[in-house]
Amino acid sequence: MINSQVQLKREQFVIQIRKQAREEIFSKKRLTVLNGNLDADLKCSPDEMIFQIYKSFMLKDFKTLKDLLYKYNEQFLIILLRKQQADNIFMNQYINHFGVNQETIQLFMQILQMSDIPQLGSIDEITILCINQVLVILVNITYLTAPQIINNLLSQEIQDILLNDILGRMNTKKNLDENLEVWQSIIDSLCQLFINLLLDLKDQRGVQMKIEILKSPFFKIWQYIYKEYPPQQLWISILYLQQLLFMEPAIQGVEIIQSNVCLIISTQMQRILKQCGYVIKEFSDQDQLYELALILINYCTQYQLETTIVLTKQLWVKMIQINKFPLLMYSLFINFTSVNYDQDSPASELTTEKHLIEIGLLNNMMVWLSNLSDENLIIKIYKCLNNVLTFQYPQLANVVIYHFLPFLNLFLEGQMIQKAELADEFLILVKNLIKFQKLTEINLNQIFIEQNVMQQIRVILLQSCFKACNLLNLFNSLDLLSIEFKYSVLKRIVEHQIVDILNMLYTKNIITDDCIDTLMEQIAKWESETNKLNYS
């Protein structure tokens, strides 16, 4: 049951949304961990190692090749991390290998392709480890801010090699099962490399790469792997990559139409959503994974809201029970309730608001409101509540009038300077109650007499912390009231000097000519109607 006593705590309470996960990716690129000694002497130049790598690759000595690739990568990391001027000669050699020297980068591409081994044929573990070691090298070299490296990799068809040659070797369950643990490492490296590439590609090339990733079998392969209990690090990498696919530069509708992949992308989004559901069900105790899942669902609502609702609806009760990251959770619920579908639309059968009410959304709102005074969360809760209020449900009006309206009134009264967003939600709350809910005379008396909402509206007007459209919408909803209640509203407009305040706002150019004219016309209309009532 909904808590009948609203408790307002004045102490500041900060809701912690784990930003570390996103910052790890979006403030810097991925860099694999170094286990070597930073003080080690660099006895072999990168150019010398490249010659040895080439020689071992030509001889098909993959064990030696793996060790050389590891050493090549380890030495690069030592140079990168210790940042000594004496290492600049070697660092320049590394940069030349990937940014200038076509033969060197072609060598690495050939190792990734392993063209002598049929794609659908069996491939042994040591060969896969060589492929992965090259991927790790590419992850670390693309950590550098060096556009010539990215351009050179793209000119060598790196995208095609990653998405076709490498993923093509994993495209059967049999091949995956043979070396599952090593293939998991490959997937992790692919994620980190794509993350680095996409963070550098802020133009149309980045958009196209995102589309190609979605068109590829990447997430189909992952759909099998994640059910085999992969390590948490792999989960984090894949969720980061998926999150990045939805960020700027974003895939717009025009790109989807032009590339004729709308159905494919829709299928991949469904896979992503099902995977998020798996995380919510299986890993709710792992905050980082759980948060990333909520973020991904949020992004999906911006692309295909109806699909997201259908595929996540069974998870909502679980999310409310888990009750973590309320800012993210309520952002989701806001998106889910943000569209009013026509009755003829198939989406109208989703009954989103009804389902949320019946699984305990209102009670969850009251729990959060009773234990904090964080404005950002309060705003999100009331945004969500105002969306829900557009749906008629038994006792919903009573719950809002006797619990949510008093809380918001009390909270606003305790603010020296009211936040515009919260003040607007107050205006919308009153408007939605009148416009969408079947209010009784008792309800209306509670709103206008006991709660005296016009007093709070007066404060909002005096502080100029509102959008004119919300004030106009509220006055339009008041026009739906009976003449008797319009008379009650007029009395409070006079009592709280609302007309004088509106004129003052107009003289200060806070509201426009059209706004003041519309409001005054409404008030004049109510006065005329109530005068006729009194005359009769």
Side-chain angles (χ1 to χ4, degrees):
M1 296 298 291
I2 291 177
N3 189 350
S4 60
Q5 185 175 1
V6 178
Q7 301 173 1
L8 181 62
K9 295 187 177 181
R10 298 297 181 188
E11 67 267 22
Q12 190 66 28
F13 181 79
V14 180
I15 296 297
Q16 295 291 337
I17 287 194
R18 287 170 55 89
K19 295 181 180 178
Q20 179 185 353
R22 275 169 288 172
E23 289 172 355
E24 183 181 341
I25 282 300
F26 303 122
S27 66
K28 66 176 184 178
K29 299 179 186 177
R30 301 293 291 190
L31 182 67
T32 53
V33 177
L34 173 68
N35 296 319
N37 179 10
L38 285 182
D39 297 323
D41 291 331
L42 307 181
K43 297 178 180 179
C44 191
S45 75
D47 285 347
E48 292 170 350
M49 280 190 283
I50 283 294
F51 177 74
Q52 295 173 22
I53 288 170
Y54 173 77
K55 184 178 177 181
S56 61
F57 179 61
M58 289 296 102
L59 294 172
K60 307 301 178 189
D61 182 1
F62 292 132
K63 184 179 186 307
T64 302
L65 176 63
K66 179 182 75 71
D67 294 338
L68 287 169
L69 290 169
Y70 182 87
K71 183 176 178 58
Y72 181 88
N73 179 62
E74 182 182 50
Q75 184 163 292
F76 171 74
L77 286 177
I78 290 172
I79 295 171
L80 185 67
L81 295 177
R82 72 184 184 184
K83 299 176 182 178
Q84 293 181 4
Q85 190 171 359
D87 296 333
N88 285 349
I89 295 176
F90 282 0
M91 176 58 84
N92 289 334
Q93 288 183 23
Y94 276 107
I95 293 174
N96 286 338
H97 290 172
F98 294 91
V100 178
N101 192 321
Q102 297 299 312
E103 292 180 356
T104 303
I105 202 167
Q106 286 172 6
L107 169 62
F108 284 116
M109 297 303 105
Q110 289 170 10
I111 296 172
L112 289 178
Q113 289 174 298
M114 292 288 180
S115 55
D116 289 347
I117 303 174
Q119 195 172 68
L120 296 179
S122 180
I123 183 169
D124 57 27
E125 181 178 338
I126 192 69
T127 309
I128 303 173
L129 288 172
C130 289
I131 294 173
N132 189 51
Q133 197 58 57
V134 173
L135 290 175
V136 172
I137 290 168
L138 293 177
V139 168
N140 290 320
I141 201 73
T142 54
Y143 177 81
L144 299 174
T145 303
Q148 71 271 26
I149 292 176
I150 301 297
N151 292 334
N152 208 12
L153 285 170
L154 292 176
S155 72
Q156 296 297 323
E157 306 294 339
I158 182 66
Q159 178 179 284
D160 185 65
I161 292 170
L162 299 179
L163 295 177
N164 293 318
D165 292 88
I166 295 180
L167 288 182
R169 296 188 182 279
M170 289 183 268
N171 217 2
T172 67
K173 186 175 182 296
K174 179 178 179 293
N175 284 1
L176 276 172
D177 286 340
E178 285 179 359
N179 292 288
L180 181 60
E181 188 174 336
V182 189
W183 286 123
Q184 287 178 351
S185 297
I186 293 277
I187 290 288
D188 193 10
S189 299
L190 285 172
C191 288
Q192 297 186 40
L193 179 54
F194 275 121
I195 286 166
N196 281 2
L197 293 172
L198 288 171
L199 286 172
D200 269 336
L201 296 173
K202 297 296 186 182
D203 51 19
Q204 187 60 28
R205 294 178 300 169
V207 174
Q208 190 58 41
M209 182 172 285
K210 291 176 181 181
I211 292 174
E212 294 305 319
I213 291 171
L214 288 169
K215 286 169 61 179
S216 77
F218 204 150
F219 300 135
K220 179 183 177 182
I221 294 167
W222 170 242
Q223 190 174 22
Y224 168 73
I225 289 177
Y226 77 68
K227 295 176 182 177
E228 300 298 318
Y229 307 102
Q232 183 179 7
Q233 175 54 47
L234 177 52
W235 268 107
I236 291 171
S237 295
I238 200 89
L239 292 172
Y240 277 148
L241 175 60
Q242 291 172 349
Q243 184 179 342
L244 195 56
L245 294 178
F246 292 101
M247 298 186 72
E248 295 294 336
I251 302 172
Q252 303 298 332
V254 64
E255 282 89 3
I256 293 175
I257 294 170
Q258 289 175 348
S259 58
N260 197 28
V261 293
C262 185
L263 181 60
I264 295 172
I265 291 178
S266 176
T267 301
Q268 298 291 36
M269 282 189 60
Q270 291 176 36
R271 287 195 173 108
I272 290 172
L273 286 167
K274 289 177 181 177
Q275 158 216 274
C276 289
Y278 184 84
V279 172
I280 289 171
K281 291 175 182 176
E282 302 294 330
F283 303 119
S284 60
D285 58 328
Q286 298 185 35
D287 286 357
Q288 191 174 13
L289 296 183
Y290 184 74
E291 182 192 18
L292 284 170
L294 293 185
I295 292 170
L296 272 171
I297 296 172
N298 228 319
Y299 278 121
C300 289
T301 63
Q302 298 170 24
Y303 276 79
Q304 294 184 3
L305 179 59
E306 293 181 28
T307 300
T308 309
I309 290 174
V310 170
L311 291 178
T312 63
K313 199 170 182 181
Q314 76 277 10
L315 302 172
W316 300 350
V317 64
K318 180 79 172 174
M319 289 160 56
I320 289 175
Q321 290 170 351
I322 294 169
N323 209 24
K324 292 180 181 178
F325 304 110
L327 285 172
L328 278 174
M329 181 173 71
Y330 277 100
S331 291
L332 269 177
F333 292 154
I334 289 168
N335 290 346
F336 291 151
T337 57
S338 61
V339 180
N340 293 322
Y341 298 105
D342 296 332
Q343 289 185 352
D344 296 334
S345 167
S348 65
E349 300 176 3
L350 297 174
T351 59
T352 301
E353 296 86 354
K354 181 175 183 290
H355 183 65
L356 284 170
I357 293 171
E358 291 177 348
I359 64 175
L361 177 67
L362 299 179
N363 189 57
N364 184 268
M365 288 177 171
M366 288 305 304
V367 169
W368 281 109
L369 291 176
S370 299
N371 290 284
L372 59 88
S373 57
D374 174 45
E375 273 195 75
N376 290 326
L377 181 55
I378 292 172
I379 289 168
K380 284 195 178 292
I381 287 174
Y382 277 91
K383 280 182 183 291
C384 183
L385 179 65
N386 278 327
N387 285 349
V388 171
L389 266 178
T390 62
F391 175 80
Q392 285 191 6
Y393 190 84
Q395 298 302 311
L396 176 58
N398 285 335
V399 170
V400 174
I401 291 169
Y402 286 97
H403 301 288
F404 289 94
L405 183 58
F407 177 92
L408 190 51
N409 236 332
L410 182 60
F411 187 84
L412 288 171
E413 286 174 6
Q415 305 299 297
M416 293 294 292
I417 300 176
Q418 294 183 1
K419 196 167 184 177
E421 260 191 297
L422 200 53
D424 277 321
E425 294 308 320
F426 180 87
L427 299 178
I428 296 169
L429 180 69
V430 178
K431 180 263 293 183
N432 283 357
L433 277 169
I434 296 168
K435 183 177 180 180
F436 297 106
Q437 301 301 312
K438 295 179 180 179
L439 300 181
T440 65
E441 183 176 340
I442 295 174
N443 292 151
L444 289 168
N445 283 330
Q446 186 70 22
I447 293 170
F448 290 105
I449 299 175
E450 298 300 326
Q451 296 293 328
N452 195 9
V453 295
M454 202 59 70
Q455 167 62 26
Q456 192 56 251
I457 293 170
R458 180 180 189 275
V459 175
I460 290 171
L461 293 177
L462 286 172
Q463 292 194 10
S464 306
C465 54
F466 64 94
K467 290 180 182 176
C469 62
N470 290 325
L471 185 63
L472 287 168
N473 289 337
L474 172 58
F475 270 64
N476 287 336
S477 71
L478 293 174
D479 195 46
L480 300 172
L481 296 173
S482 66
I483 296 177
E484 290 81 5
F485 273 100
K486 286 179 184 175
Y487 179 73
S488 178
V489 169
L490 280 173
K491 281 177 61 178
R492 278 150 188 81
I493 285 175
V494 173
E495 178 185 341
H496 295 293
Q497 302 174 312
I498 300 299
V499 172
D500 292 338
I501 297 171
L502 290 173
N503 283 321
M504 179 267 292
L505 294 174
Y506 172 67
T507 59
K508 291 184 176 182
N509 294 320
I510 295 172
I511 57 176
T512 64
D513 290 351
D514 289 343
C515 181
I516 190 75
D517 289 346
T518 302
L519 294 171
M520 292 307 177
E521 286 173 7
Q522 284 280 30
I523 293 171
K525 178 188 173 188
W526 300 338
E527 288 175 339
S528 174
E529 290 174 354
T530 54
N531 285 337
K532 289 178 183 178
L533 178 66
N534 291 336
Y535 181 77
S536 62

